[in-house]
Amino acid sequence: QLKLVESGGGVVQPGGSLRLSCAASGDTLDNYAIGWFRRAPGKRREGVSCINTSGDNTNYADSVKGRFAISRDNAKSTVYLQLDNVKPEDTGIYYCAGENRDMFNGGQYYCPPSYDYWGQGTQVTVSS
């Protein structure tokens, strides 16, 4: 049973940076693709980014391209989300999720269509 715990959230000014961590336990992280999601109050949850099992393929939502970076350190059983040049609209609860498969089609990497394992979330607030 894979367990995921997010950390690193907090209050940051527009233009600032944060690094979120997703720590895995209970199973080998190498076997799981990981996605980051976020939800603002009154809004739908949205996918932010995903990374494949070995860490050499990533995808990003258009709203965060060029500003956020996902990475993983399987030896440390941790996936990261680096948030740079944050905007007020980045405010929300950030969740990581795991799925025990990679998805390639025609040589292109795709985020998993669903995730079986979820963390509890960590709050990110961007405010001046």
Side-chain angles (χ1 to χ4, degrees), residues 67-125:
R67 300 189 299 115
F68 292 7
I70 191 171
S71 62
R72 66 192 296 156
D73 187 340
N74 287 338
K76 296 184 181 298
S77 296
T78 303
V79 175
Y80 305 95
L81 185 68
Q82 179 70 38
L83 288 67
D84 291 330
N85 191 26
V86 297
K87 304 175 180 179
E89 51 263 44
D90 294 324
T91 293
I93 302 174
Y94 283 69
Y95 302 87
C96 63
E99 177 68 17
N100 64 344
R101 60 172 167 168
D102 283 333
M103 194 165 186
F104 292 88
N105 202 323
Q108 183 174 350
Y109 176 68
Y110 295 87
C111 295
S114 62
Y115 295 84
D116 288 335
Y117 306 98
W118 292 81
Q120 85 291 342
T122 185
Q123 176 72 42
V124 172
T125 302

Side-chain angles (χ1 to χ4, degrees), residues 24-69:
S25 62
D27 204 353
T28 303
L29 182 62
D30 309 50
N31 298 138
Y32 294 86
I34 300 294
W36 281 98
F37 297 79
R38 67 186 182 186
R39 186 174 67 185
K43 299 183 67 176
R44 294 174 175 265
R45 183 183 66 202
E46 66 172 335
V48 175
S49 182
C50 66
I51 188 167
N52 74 319
T53 55
S54 58
D56 55 352
N57 290 95
T58 60
N59 288 310
Y60 297 91
D62 288 341
S63 59
V64 306
K65 285 181 179 177
R67 300 189 299 115
F68 292 7

